[in-house]
Amino acid sequence: MSDDTWLSINKARWEERVSIHTKSSLYDVEGFLSGRLSLGDQEIHDMGSVKGKSLLHLQCHFGLDTLSWARLGANVTGLDFSEEAIKQAKKLAEQAELEAEFICADVYKAPQIIQNQFDIIYTGIGAICWLPDINNWAKTIAQLLKADGKLFLIEIHPVEWIFGNGFDLAYDYFHGPEGLHLIESGTYTDGDQATINNDLVNWNHNLGKVITALVNAGLMIKRLDESDECPFMRWDFMEKAGNSRYKLPAEYKSIPLMYTLEAIKP
Ligand SMILES: C[S@@+](CC[C@H](N)C(=O)[O-])C[C@H]1O[C@@H](n2cnc3c(N)ncnc32)[C@H](O)[C@@H]1O
């Protein structure tokens, strides 16, 4: 599949879903406007203070997490390839009276568009599966970080990714560079919502590939935590974990659902 094909398939899908997501209870924009942070408590704790730090959020969607970091004191920039997402992010920043810059661009083009470097790059929760080339992604991160700058990646675990909606083993853990071309209507916030652009192309980047790509790009891995909890109800039989996260019921074997990785640019 050519570069243009995966990009245009995925972009069409995301453009259509932004307006569904901004109204969804999962994203809870109302709650955010009345002071709620969209980030998890553990995530905020793990990140440490962001006060006064420059933070770039890659694949920021409509900016809820980006603006949550702004509320915690970071000088934020959000980047996403969806024009509708960036439009909504700018609107949300205005409504929340928060300072933020939002840029509409493909991740891989970011170093050509953004001249400055950042103290922190934050990304994840369903982000890197949209990118075909993990080595190029890692190089992009390295280019955009200041010396001593930190990558904070919180992502869906590649093991969670191989299970289908019925908790069946649905997808390969290892696959070729062409990725997986799927057709799925609706979206994760509102399953039964009628949608037109239902194709998607995804890549499941396993932990070995992500770490090797970052190391080859010159970053130093500081921490890798795997977790059996995730911030959304991936399967309807999941239980609340008590910290706005969800876990599998006790009678299920535990599997990794999310991971958090921190890397430093020496
Ligand atoms: C699930 S969201 C992840 C963001 C965040 N975790 C959230 O839920 O708001 C994935 C985002 O990646 C963006 N995206 C996908 N491929 C991209 C690319 N090549 N360049 C920039 N943004 C991209 C989509 O537009 C979407 O907003």
Side-chain angles (χ1 to χ4, degrees):
M1 187 177 286
S2 76
D3 271 12
D4 286 354
T5 313
W6 69 262
L7 199 70
S8 56
I9 287 175
N10 288 343
K11 191 167 177 307
R13 182 180 179 88
W14 279 108
E15 291 291 9
E16 186 184 3
R17 278 154 182 80
V18 174
S19 66
I20 304 172
H21 291 182
T22 52
K23 295 185 201 95
S24 69
S25 57
L26 181 86
Y27 280 105
D28 184 19
V29 169
E30 289 268 289
F32 172 78
L33 287 173
S34 57
R36 184 186 71 88
L37 294 172
S38 62
L39 306 159
D41 295 344
Q42 188 66 42
E43 197 177 352
I44 294 169
H45 172 268
D46 290 347
M47 174 72 94
S49 172
V50 295
K51 243 192 166 83
K53 300 213 170 125
S54 56
L55 182 150
L56 172 65
H57 183 184
L58 291 177
Q59 296 175 252
C60 67
H61 203 25
F62 63 94
L64 212 51
D65 292 349
T66 327
L67 293 169
S68 294
W69 290 121
R71 213 172 245 166
L72 291 169
N75 302 320
V76 299
T77 304
L79 177 141
D80 201 283
F81 75 172
S82 155
E83 279 132 39
E84 186 56 25
I86 292 302
K87 191 173 128 198
Q88 292 301 327
K90 287 180 177 170
K91 185 173 153 200
L92 194 58
E94 253 183 60
Q95 287 174 312
E97 297 179 3
L98 289 163
E99 281 289 316
E101 189 180 352
F102 286 103
I103 298 167
C104 188
D106 174 19
V107 164
Y108 294 121
K109 301 262 166 65
Q112 292 159 37
I113 293 167
I114 303 175
Q115 302 311 326
N116 41 330
Q117 292 178 312
F118 296 83
D119 296 316
I120 299 167
I121 294 181
Y122 169 79
T123 189
I125 318 197
I128 61 173
C129 60
W130 300 96
L131 305 176
D133 185 339
I134 204 67
N135 294 310
N136 200 6
W137 167 82
K139 281 184 206 153
T140 302
I141 304 272
Q143 279 173 279
L144 291 165
L145 274 179
K146 285 181 185 168
D148 282 336
K150 169 167 82 175
L151 164 68
F152 191 100
L153 170 68
I154 175 161
E155 249 320 345
I156 297 169
H157 198 286
V159 167
E160 170 178 343
W161 213 88
I162 61 178
F163 290 89
N165 291 338
F167 201 57
D168 50 323
L169 265 184
Y171 306 108
D172 286 326
Y173 186 77
F174 301 102
H175 59 68
E178 69 287 355
L180 271 176
H181 185 172
L182 304 173
I183 300 173
E184 283 179 8
S185 60
T187 180
Y188 52 87
T189 61
D190 301 78
D192 47 6
Q193 184 91 21
T195 46
I196 300 161
N197 298 296
N198 295 329
D199 287 47
L200 66 110
V201 189
N202 267 185
W203 291 266
N204 185 13
H205 302 294
N206 65 59
L207 283 184
K209 288 209 165 131
V210 172
I211 291 170
T212 306
L214 290 169
V215 170
N216 286 342
L219 299 194
M220 225 167 65
I221 310 294
K222 297 291 277 186
R223 190 168 75 88
L224 171 65
D225 277 342
E226 296 174 287
S227 167
D228 59 358
E229 296 177 359
C230 71
F232 48 87
M233 196 179 249
R234 174 65 182 88
W235 298 283
D236 56 10
F237 53 83
M238 288 180 92
E239 293 174 345
K240 287 202 162 152
N243 48 2
S244 69
R245 297 201 154 214
Y246 297 89
K247 60 181 175 134
L248 291 172
E251 62 270 24
Y252 283 74
K253 299 290 180 208
S254 72
I255 57 166
L257 298 177
M258 298 286 295
Y259 69 95
T260 307
L261 183 152
E262 279 180 54
I264 302 289
K265 177 172 167 178

